[in-house]
Structure formats: C-alpha cells, structure tokens
Amino acid sequence: MTVHIGAKSGEIAETVLLPGDPYRAKWAAETFLDDAVCVNEVRGMLGFTGTWKGNRVTIHGTGMGMPSLSIYVNELIQDYGAKTLIRIGSCGAMQENINVRDVIIAMATTSTTSMNDPIFRGANFAPCADWSLLKTAVAAAEKRDTPVHVGNIFSSDVFYSESPELDAQLERHNVLGVEMEAAELYTLAARHNARALAVLTVSDHLKTHEALPSDQRERSFADMVEIALEAAFN
Ligand code: HPA
C-alpha cells in the first residue's frame, strides 16, 4: 500500500496502461483483460490487474493533469516496480490534416509546466517517448488501418486556454495536439529508468471545432487500448 494506491505488493503488473478517467480503467479492464481484479479504489481512483493474451497488465486511472498523474506514476514505478507505462487518453488536434478519431502517438512533448523547474533549473529538458514502444505502437496502428500521426504534442496545465498566441505558435511549430499528462509521464519514466508512451485518440479539433460524439468515443477508445496492448507486448 502507498499513500494513494491500496494495492498490496505484487498486485500491480510491470506493464501499466494509464487512462485519465478511472471509469475508463474499469471499462478497459472488463473489456480487454481476463480475470481482472480491482486492486485500487483509494479516492475513487480505480486500478485493475488481469491478463491480456497471457501477459499480466494493470490498467490504472491517473486523474486529469500532470500533478495528479505524477502522484500515481511515482508510486507505480517506485513502490510497485512498474516498468512499462502507456498513457491512453484523448487529445485536441491542432493541425488541419488531423481528424477527429485519428490516433496521435506522442514522440515528444512540450509544456509550460514548472513542476520540474527545481530539478532542471532553466534547462529545457525534452520529455520523449521510449523508442521501442513508439515503433511497435505505430506498427500496430498501421496494421489496423487506424489513421495515425506521430510527433510532438503539447501537455497543457489548463483545459480552458486563455493563450491564443501560444496555441498559434505551437500550431506553427507543428505540434499535433494538446492534452494534459504525457510530459510528466515521459519525464518520470526517464528519471526512473522505465519505458513510457502516450497513445491518444483525437476527441476534438481546436481549429475546426469538431468533436467526437459521445456514442463514438467508446469505439475510438477501444482502438487505442488495443494499440497500447500490442505495443507493450511486441
Ligand atoms: N485541451 C486539453 N486537453 C484535452 C483537450 C483539449 O482540447 N481535448 C482532450 N484533452
């Protein structure tokens, strides 16, 4: 048990999928895993461990934003020995050639967060994906004919942006989409010698203002879970 995770030692797998929403963790565990058992419900943040094609996997919620993800990922890596961590979440698209429902795989992340300033002291650390996971996730997405885009994303500290100039500069510099967690996941994985990746479904478009209707969110989320599981075990 840790401060925020009630699982006993050994109840968390080395491979962990990380949706923001705890109810997505429940749905994904019930849909994709065999013999899934709930291993955490502290503060309503649900985690489940089961198997996928015989491989042990935990699916654990992170909450929204980097401070929340940071708590769970620190404990998952440092206290439970997680080694491969894949965020599965949604993002807003920032480029015209990307459509709602497409998948974005974050090769690198940009952020304005000050969370790690005391460590880097002004240096621009570039949080990036684990290459072996990135390669297998892209191959899995292509095999399924899921439209996939690979590149830089923006991990924002705010959902409701008041900075149109920043958004415009990020778009201009070919940032593909915006979400709120991946930069901290990649930073922690680098710090603690783990592998990390973020596989994201485009749920809304910042330029066209199109949004994924709620009845289609589940199918898109399922695509992403399967890509993440194939990436983890190939
Ligand atoms: N902004 C931040 N996070 C998001 C968005 C967004 O537009 N869409 C999905 N996650």
Side-chain angles (χ1 to χ4, degrees):
M1 265 177 74
T2 59
V3 178
H4 303 94
I5 302 177
K8 295 194 201 75
S9 167
E11 283 187 334
I12 301 282
E14 280 195 1
T15 298
V16 185
L17 266 49
L18 299 163
D21 178 352
Y23 289 104
R24 287 284 187 200
K26 184 172 192 291
W27 178 83
E30 284 168 355
T31 308
F32 293 100
L33 302 190
D34 294 322
D35 306 318
V37 173
C38 182
V39 293
N40 186 35
E41 39 190 351
V42 175
R43 290 177 185 244
M45 188 52 74
L46 303 175
F48 299 83
T49 298
T51 60
W52 181 77
K53 297 189 178 175
N55 302 291
R56 246 177 127 233
V57 190
T58 295
I59 307 183
H60 197 290
T62 63
M64 290 175 279
M66 289 186 267
S68 179
L69 173 133
S70 187
I71 289 171
Y72 294 106
V73 169
N74 263 295
E75 294 179 13
L76 288 165
I77 296 177
Q78 299 202 80
D79 298 295
Y80 291 98
K83 296 263 182 270
T84 296
L85 300 102
I86 305 181
R87 165 162 156 70
I88 44 176
S90 60
C91 71
M94 299 179 89
Q95 302 294 330
E96 303 276 6
N97 66 322
I98 300 178
N99 296 307
V100 166
R101 267 183 296 275
D102 290 1
V103 165
I104 294 177
I105 301 182
M107 181 160 67
T109 60
T110 297
S111 78
T112 57
T113 184
S114 59
M115 286 175 68
N116 294 305
D117 287 1
I119 296 176
F120 296 118
R121 296 169 183 252
N124 290 315
F125 178 72
C128 63
D130 175 82
W131 167 241
S132 59
L133 288 176
L134 180 70
K135 204 169 45 166
T136 47
V138 173
E142 285 176 346
K143 204 170 79 189
R144 306 165 58 82
D145 282 336
T146 304
V148 62
H149 309 266
V150 183
N152 198 355
I153 61 156
F154 181 48
S155 294
S156 178
D157 278 341
V158 288
F159 187 86
Y160 298 105
S161 170
E162 295 282 342
S163 316
E165 300 83 7
L166 173 60
D167 294 343
Q169 287 298 348
L170 292 168
E171 275 171 43
R172 184 175 166 224
H173 288 81
N174 204 26
V175 169
L176 305 182
V178 54
E179 51 84 75
M180 299 182 67
E181 292 84 14
E184 178 65 0
L185 172 63
Y186 287 5
T187 303
L188 291 172
R191 189 175 305 156
H192 299 297
N193 198 26
R195 306 194 301 161
L197 186 69
V199 181
L200 307 163
T201 294
V202 175
S203 60
D204 53 275
H205 205 297
L206 270 62
K207 292 181 82 93
T208 64
H209 304 293
E210 198 190 343
L212 196 57
S214 52
D215 60 331
Q216 291 179 26
R217 280 175 191 245
E218 201 155 281
R219 183 62 244 161
S220 299
F221 194 79
D223 265 353
M224 189 171 55
V225 178
E226 285 175 332
I227 291 168
L229 288 166
E230 280 179 35
F233 297 110
N234 272 306

